[in-house]
Amino acid sequence: MGVVERIMFFMAVAVLCVASSTAEVYKVGDDKGWTTLSPIPDYKKWSSTKAFKVGDSIVFEYNPQMHNVVQVNYTDYKKCNTAAAIRTLTSGNDTIPIKSKGHYFYICGIPGHCAMGQKVDIRVVTHVTQTPPTAQAPASPSVPTPSSGPSPSADSAPAPSPKKSSAGTISKGLIGKFGFVVLAVVAAVAF
Ligand SMILES: *[C@@H]1O[C@H](CO)[C@@H](O)[C@H](O)[C@H]1NC(C)=O
Ligand SMILES: *[C@@H]1O[C@H](CO)[C@@H](O)[C@H](O)[C@H]1NC(C)=O
């Protein structure tokens, strides 16, 4: 019973770690938000340092009386032209979920602001260093399988050492670089 509870706890920790490593929320401009207040954030630099991926969100925070968010294509991003807007957001706290790969361009539609630098491009590419989202999605449904699996192995193998190594394998496969941290937590709880 205690072993099963420990395994359940490990699964909960693993799921939490996977969930927190899959969906990032990026606030455009970080603390400064979406603004023309001098010094205007370097939005190009800001976005170039982020590894956007499908499932993440970007948030534009701004004073809606001073700014807005207009999605445009590459040409209009370059020209600061909002005449052919793809979409316009005006709430002042706009969350945009990233639903597919691509290159997305957002500018402020208030005259002059884009030219001052209030424009950002979000490039969403296939993630190289992490498991692709398509492969991560089955990870959650597969979690219940191991939790029903340990019951037979708990009867056949009472020794804790095989359990520890199998848990280590699962955690490394699931969460990569976070595996070590999770292992430490699990070890601290279990032993
Ligand atoms: C962007 O939209 C404008 C206006 O519809 C069009 O003239 C231009 O060719 C488009 N550029 C791209 C890269 O699609
Ligand atoms: C913007 O929305 C997010 C989530 O809906 C919320 O956590 C945040 O406090 C909001 N920010 C402002 C300035 O209202």
Side-chain angles (χ1 to χ4, degrees):
M1 197 57 183
V3 174
V4 171
E5 278 163 0
R6 269 181 242 162
I7 290 170
M8 295 298 278
F9 175 82
F10 160 74
M11 288 302 174
V13 171
V15 168
L16 280 178
C17 287
V18 169
S20 65
S21 69
T22 50
E24 298 282 340
V25 177
Y26 293 102
K27 181 175 163 184
V28 177
D30 296 322
D31 290 344
K32 292 183 147 198
W34 186 235
T35 183
T36 48
L37 283 183
S38 183
I40 298 176
D42 186 340
Y43 292 112
K44 195 159 192 64
K45 189 175 170 192
W46 176 86
S47 65
S48 69
T49 59
K50 308 289 185 288
F52 301 105
K53 63 185 186 302
V54 173
D56 292 346
S57 301
I58 54 173
V59 179
F60 288 88
E61 257 186 42
Y62 54 93
N63 179 344
Q65 297 183 324
M66 313 245 319
H67 308 288
N68 63 12
V69 178
V70 181
Q71 185 183 356
V72 295
N73 68 15
Y74 174 74
T75 309
D76 292 340
Y77 169 83
K78 285 286 185 194
K79 291 182 180 172
C80 288
N81 174 31
T82 58
I86 297 167
R87 67 197 288 207
T88 302
L89 303 166
T90 58
S91 82
N93 189 5
D94 302 318
T95 299
I96 301 176
I98 298 176
K99 290 176 181 159
S100 56
K101 279 193 297 177
H103 206 162
Y104 303 96
F105 302 93
Y106 300 95
I107 64 179
C108 181
I110 308 303
H113 287 191
C114 172
M116 288 167 73
Q118 198 177 13
K119 58 198 291 192
V120 68
D121 69 299
I122 308 288
R123 191 180 180 86
V124 184
V125 295
T126 308
H127 221 37
V128 192
T129 54
Q130 282 189 340
T131 319
T134 46
Q136 278 173 352
S140 310
S142 74
V143 163
T145 316
S147 69
S148 60
S151 314
S153 72
D155 297 338
S156 58
S161 40
K163 205 157 294 302
K164 188 182 167 192
S165 63
S166 72
T169 311
I170 292 170
S171 72
K172 274 177 189 164
L174 272 181
I175 46 190
K177 62 185 172 179
F178 295 105
F180 184 80
V181 177
V182 173
L183 269 185
V185 172
V186 170
V189 170
F191 301 104

